[in-house]
Amino acid sequence: VRALVALGDGTVDLASLPEPVPGDSELVVRPLMSGLCGTDLELIDATIDPAYVRYPLVLGHEWVGRDDEGHLVVAEGIVPCGECQPCRRGATNLCETYDEIGFTRPGALAEAVSVPADLVHRLAEGVDPLDAVLVEPMAVVWRALRRAAPLAGSRCLVVGDGTVALLAVMLLQRFDPVFVDVLGARRAQGALALHAGARHFSNAPADERYDLVVEAAGHPDAVTTALGSVARGGTLVLLGLPPHGSTIPVAPDQLVNDDVTLIANFSYTRQAWAEVVGLLDAGHLHPSFLVTHRATLDGYATALAALRGVGADEARGKVLIEL
Ligand SMILES: [Zn+2]
Ligand SMILES: [Zn+2]
């Protein structure tokens, strides 16, 4: 099978690998398409913490494929041990043994991948693969929003304009907000934000305060802006991952006086996957409008260039590779 492999020395290459042999309670899935994200660039550049990666690595952790019966399937990336205390209480994102498809085991930027059968979610007939390919990032956002549990009629702000931010705008609509505003740096993302359901897209913070603020830019300044935009009694959700060790000034008395709830979200749980798959199956989620760039495996260099911001004055949602 052909696969896109990160070698660990800053380079990536197409390779021909043996057909995967499924282990006990694994099954082989044929990926149809795999999304790429900033984390893949860190994996390629080998700038990620070495504890979270095993090279050479077949990339691909946001994907949809077909099982051997021809059903459309997605698979959770984190492989929970099922035994540790976090796993037993359902916090599969916090499993004490880190193992993840596309990080420590081969990913889905390949013509075939072997995955643990219990991580596989079969999708209903009629679900569009172009919607399903976004389940992984949607599961991250969905888990965070479920924790925040905004009331109907909430005034919401999303800080950031990347795919995760835009998915947050779309998924917030499930909670009947009165509006969702977006604060983003790249004007070219405005149309995607409006399509996702935003009321306004702006690149300068307003004086307005919001019941729910979602930080999805992953930049310390964006966190500061987000914190300063929370209304009294409001909630701040941190979804973006700022650079390791970065800090921001915080006035704790303000947080207390304003009765702020702070939620910081790491990844997704099995429950979040099940819920997102349920929403897709019911026809409630159609994020495919966010796919702006598609390439073949042979055209991977074009996809990576788009992801690195070549042509950054154009709108960029999800960049994906079709297998
Ligand atoms: Zn990703
Ligand atoms: Zn565990």
Side-chain angles (χ1 to χ4, degrees):
V1 300
R2 299 203 316 141
L4 188 63
V5 180
L7 299 173
D9 60 359
T11 68
V12 68
D13 205 3
L14 279 181
S16 239
L17 304 175
E19 179 80 20
V21 179
D24 283 349
S25 55
E26 287 194 349
L27 59 91
V28 172
V29 178
R30 312 230 163 242
L32 292 172
M33 45 184 84
S34 282
L36 288 163
C37 76
T39 307
D40 291 302
L41 295 180
E42 293 175 33
L43 288 165
I44 293 169
D45 297 341
T47 52
I48 214 154
D49 184 337
Y52 295 95
V53 55
R54 212 160 291 151
Y55 294 111
L57 171 70
V58 178
L59 294 167
H61 62 273
E62 306 181 6
W63 59 286
V64 59
R66 286 199 193 280
D67 65 13
D68 52 8
E69 291 168 40
H71 293 285
L72 197 63
V73 297
V74 289
E76 292 164 54
I78 294 174
V79 183
C81 76
E83 308 282 318
C84 71
Q85 202 269 345
C87 275
R88 277 183 292 169
R89 64 181 162 88
T92 53
N93 58 327
L94 303 180
C95 177
E96 288 167 4
T97 311
Y98 176 74
D99 193 10
E100 186 168 1
I101 295 164
F103 292 82
T104 49
R105 51 167 86 196
L109 269 161
E111 289 167 338
V113 60
S114 183
V115 297
D118 63 348
L119 301 185
V120 173
H121 298 255
R122 192 179 271 187
L123 293 151
E125 211 65 48
V127 171
D128 185 343
L130 215 48
D131 288 323
V133 72
L134 286 151
V135 168
E136 196 258 10
M138 285 198 289
V140 176
V141 176
W142 185 252
R143 174 170 185 270
L145 296 184
R146 289 275 278 150
R147 290 171 74 195
L151 299 173
S154 291
R155 299 163 297 164
C156 304
L157 174 70
V158 173
V159 181
D161 58 19
T163 305
V164 168
L166 298 168
L167 287 172
V169 175
M170 187 195 78
L171 289 169
L172 272 169
Q173 310 301 319
R174 302 294 310 159
F175 297 87
D176 295 320
V178 60
F179 55 77
V180 181
D181 287 345
V182 178
L183 189 52
R186 294 175 291 164
R187 270 184 204 287
Q189 301 295 87
L192 288 174
L194 298 186
H195 193 146
R199 177 183 70 158
H200 294 141
F201 178 89
S202 139
N203 45 24
D207 278 339
E208 201 152 351
R209 293 280 181 275
Y210 298 85
D211 305 308
L212 175 66
V213 180
V214 177
E215 198 294 313
H219 190 282
D221 293 344
V223 179
T224 302
T225 300
L227 200 49
S229 305
V230 183
R232 292 198 79 199
T235 300
L236 172 63
V237 172
L238 300 181
L239 264 182
L241 186 62
H244 179 61
S246 56
T247 58
I248 58 163
V250 174
D253 66 313
Q254 193 82 41
L255 292 178
V256 174
N257 282 331
D258 285 350
D259 200 30
V260 169
T261 301
L262 179 59
I263 293 174
N265 190 73
F266 176 73
S267 197
Y268 50 72
T269 57
R270 173 160 296 183
Q271 176 72 22
W273 271 73
E275 291 179 9
V276 168
V277 166
L279 289 168
L280 268 176
D281 284 352
H284 293 313
L285 300 177
H286 297 285
S288 60
F289 69 94
L290 284 170
V291 177
T292 52
H293 294 69
R294 300 164 76 160
T296 60
L297 201 48
D298 287 310
Y300 74 86
T302 320
L304 292 177
L307 199 61
R308 288 194 194 273
V310 178
D313 47 345
E314 315 173 334
R316 193 187 70 215
K318 182 50 66 184
V319 176
L320 60 80
I321 289 182
E322 293 177 80
L323 282 313

